[in-house]
Amino acid sequence: MSKSSSSQVITCKAAICWGIGEPLKVEEIQVEPPKSFEIRVKMLLASLCHTDILFAKGFPTVSTTSCLTSYELCFTILKEPLFPRVLGHEGVGEVESIGEGVKDLEEGDLVIPTYLGECQECENCKSGKTNLCLKYPLILSGLMPDGTSRMSINGRKVYQLTTCSTWSEYTVINANYVVKINPSIDLSHASFLSCGFSTGFGSAWREANVERGSSVAVIGLGAVGLGAIEGARKQGASKIIGIDKNEKKREKGEAFGMTDFINPEGNSQKPISELMKDLTGGMGVDYCFECTGVASFVNEALLATKPGKGETIVVGAGTDPTVPVNFLPLVLGGTLKGSVFGGLKIKSDLPILLDKCKNKEFPLDELFTHEVTLEDINKTFELLKQPECVKVVIKI
Ligand SMILES: [Zn+2]
Ligand SMILES: [Zn+2]
């Protein structure tokens, strides 16, 4: 086995989050060379996903080396969030150096980082029921899988975000948490596929496995919701209802195959579950995807599904630890479920999506509304509040 292809510490710029609600500071950090089974990546582009904002607010973090392999650990939410920290979990970069033992990757390869791995051997990977690999799990400790960080600032440890930390000129990633991409893929499109759009698409494709001819509703038309619409269209859904309080999302939804649009801020005082039923002859929809993370919408989604066989899929992450739901739809046979990353497996499923992306099967340019440089990263949070904004690309 060859040694790491670099033994040099790199000093580079990164956007650091120093505390809850504080603006990010672009500062010089030190990024160590990759250890065994790790790669160091020169980030080219990144983008902002809703979950980054939750992490900037300090949620959710769990104790030291824990990871999402049991509910018990998930509930161990610390009162003290992890700072200083480099956020960002969407992006695309070029492999700068590789650690000992890394196979299948070379310097110069283009990769997208992921926050889940897929070993294809553990109980979960073999179950066919979940993408939550037990060997390469979702890590919320802010550290590498070995419990240490490769980032520091003036000797002080800098926490990372999951296995990604893409808002930095360089980042070190365990090689089990990246997917190599074809160089012909548009880099901004690849960045969108590393979380948001894929999460939505996967929820319709892999998690719900939407049937041909079925009716679908999607609450929240950001990149995740638009991905769910695209996934439902590809699955052959005949009616796809989009719900968003922002009128400008109507044309975005239509570009991805939405057939009906509901703006709840319109003239109706009805709850959105009733508005969805009105569009389906009172029956409700076969599948409803909740993509906003707003707790009360989970129950609205559940009430909007067909009695007995409707499925509600919770896709958006929120800050409320619990969600009250009306139990009647469940007792009558309805299904309420959720997944991380739309149930997509990074080795089995994500390359299929990337292939579709390479063949330009998705209108992903519709997502790309703004671009900033890493120096101007704080503008991203303001841009996201604008009605026409879907995705902000950050040039690293
Ligand atoms: Zn995300
Ligand atoms: Zn596994």
Side-chain angles (χ1 to χ4, degrees):
M1 263 185 224
S2 62
K3 281 268 181 197
S4 166
S5 58
S6 171
S7 55
Q8 302 296 312
V9 172
I10 288 181
T11 296
C12 67
K13 284 186 176 162
I16 298 191
C17 188
W18 283 95
I20 295 172
E22 289 181 24
L24 304 182
K25 277 191 182 161
V26 178
E27 296 178 80
E28 288 199 330
I29 64 163
Q30 283 70 47
V31 180
E32 290 174 20
K35 292 188 179 175
S36 298
F37 306 106
E38 295 175 354
I39 57 173
R40 187 162 57 189
V41 177
K42 181 183 192 310
M43 293 307 301
L44 302 170
L45 288 184
S47 37
L48 183 136
C49 186
H50 181 71
T51 325
D52 290 311
I53 300 171
L54 299 183
F55 280 110
K57 291 175 180 169
F59 176 90
T61 52
V62 297
S63 55
T64 53
T65 56
S66 57
C67 48
L68 277 181
T69 53
S70 79
Y71 290 129
E72 209 173 299
L73 291 175
C74 310
F75 294 143
T76 317
I77 295 168
L78 292 178
K79 292 283 178 282
E80 283 185 31
L82 306 171
F83 298 117
R85 191 171 206 185
V86 173
L87 302 173
H89 61 284
E90 289 191 338
V92 56
E94 182 183 322
V95 177
E96 177 267 340
S97 55
I98 59 174
E100 193 178 348
V102 173
K103 299 188 183 102
D104 310 325
L105 287 169
E106 294 175 358
E107 290 172 18
D109 281 346
L110 289 178
V111 293
I112 54 174
T114 61
Y115 44 85
L116 286 174
E118 181 190 353
C119 76
Q120 302 182 313
E121 291 168 353
C122 73
E123 179 187 327
N124 279 10
C125 281
K126 287 200 287 193
S127 72
K129 294 179 178 176
T130 176
N131 59 347
L132 269 191
C133 176
L134 298 172
K135 189 173 179 186
Y136 306 125
L138 175 61
I139 296 173
L140 295 179
S141 62
L143 300 168
M144 300 290 288
D146 72 354
T148 60
S149 173
R150 300 291 165 272
M151 292 178 166
S152 60
I153 181 161
N154 302 323
R156 181 176 175 183
K157 175 168 73 183
V158 172
Y159 287 100
Q160 299 169 237
L161 179 62
T162 61
T163 36
C164 303
S165 287
T166 55
W167 296 352
S168 175
E169 288 178 324
Y170 288 87
T171 186
V172 175
I173 305 173
N174 182 291
N176 294 297
Y177 291 83
V178 293
V179 175
K180 188 173 159 178
I181 63 163
N182 187 302
S184 69
I185 293 180
D186 182 295
L187 293 186
S188 61
H189 295 181
S191 185
F192 303 152
L193 257 68
S194 58
C195 180
F197 181 82
S198 297
T199 297
F201 189 93
S203 65
W205 175 40
R206 281 299 187 228
E207 195 57 39
N209 195 11
V210 167
E211 291 149 322
R212 181 161 290 280
S214 51
S215 53
V216 168
V218 178
I219 304 174
L221 302 188
V224 175
L226 294 170
I229 288 177
E230 179 69 27
R233 167 163 73 174
K234 281 261 191 269
Q235 289 291 105
S238 58
K239 192 173 195 67
I240 305 175
I241 304 166
I243 299 110
D244 202 292
K245 64 181 181 182
N246 177 355
E247 192 61 30
K248 296 208 169 181
K249 294 292 172 63
R250 181 192 291 269
E251 63 183 85
K252 293 289 177 195
E254 285 171 352
F256 286 91
M258 179 185 77
T259 60
D260 300 83
F261 182 68
I262 294 171
N263 184 344
E265 304 249 300
N267 42 27
S268 174
Q269 296 300 311
K270 285 184 179 179
I272 59 171
S273 54
E274 290 299 318
L275 296 172
M276 286 187 260
K277 281 186 182 170
D278 287 349
L279 283 176
T280 51
M283 282 295 289
V285 291
D286 293 300
Y287 300 95
C288 189
F289 297 87
E290 203 307 291
C291 303
T292 67
V294 175
S296 59
F297 287 166
V298 174
N299 197 44
E300 285 300 304
L302 192 61
L303 292 171
T305 57
K306 283 182 182 171
K309 61 172 186 159
E311 291 190 20
T312 300
I313 297 96
V314 178
V315 189
T319 49
D320 290 307
T322 56
V323 176
V325 293
N326 185 327
F327 74 97
L328 189 61
L330 298 176
V331 170
L332 291 178
T335 301
L336 174 62
K337 61 179 184 176
S339 64
V340 64
F341 200 37
L344 291 179
K345 296 184 171 191
I346 72 149
K347 281 188 182 167
S348 308
D349 300 325
L350 195 50
I352 299 172
L353 246 77
L354 286 160
D355 231 37
K356 291 183 191 296
C357 177
K358 180 174 68 94
N359 298 333
K360 304 220 177 294
E361 290 183 37
F362 308 129
L364 291 175
D365 283 334
E366 292 286 341
L367 301 181
F368 190 164
T369 55
H370 297 83
E371 183 178 274
V372 299
T373 60
L374 183 64
E375 293 284 346
D376 281 335
I377 193 161
N378 284 305
K379 284 185 187 165
T380 311
F381 298 90
E382 291 306 310
L383 287 169
L384 268 186
K385 294 174 190 164
Q386 294 185 8
E388 71 276 16
C389 184
V390 182
K391 273 298 197 189
V392 184
V393 168
I394 303 153
K395 285 185 82 171
I396 306 290

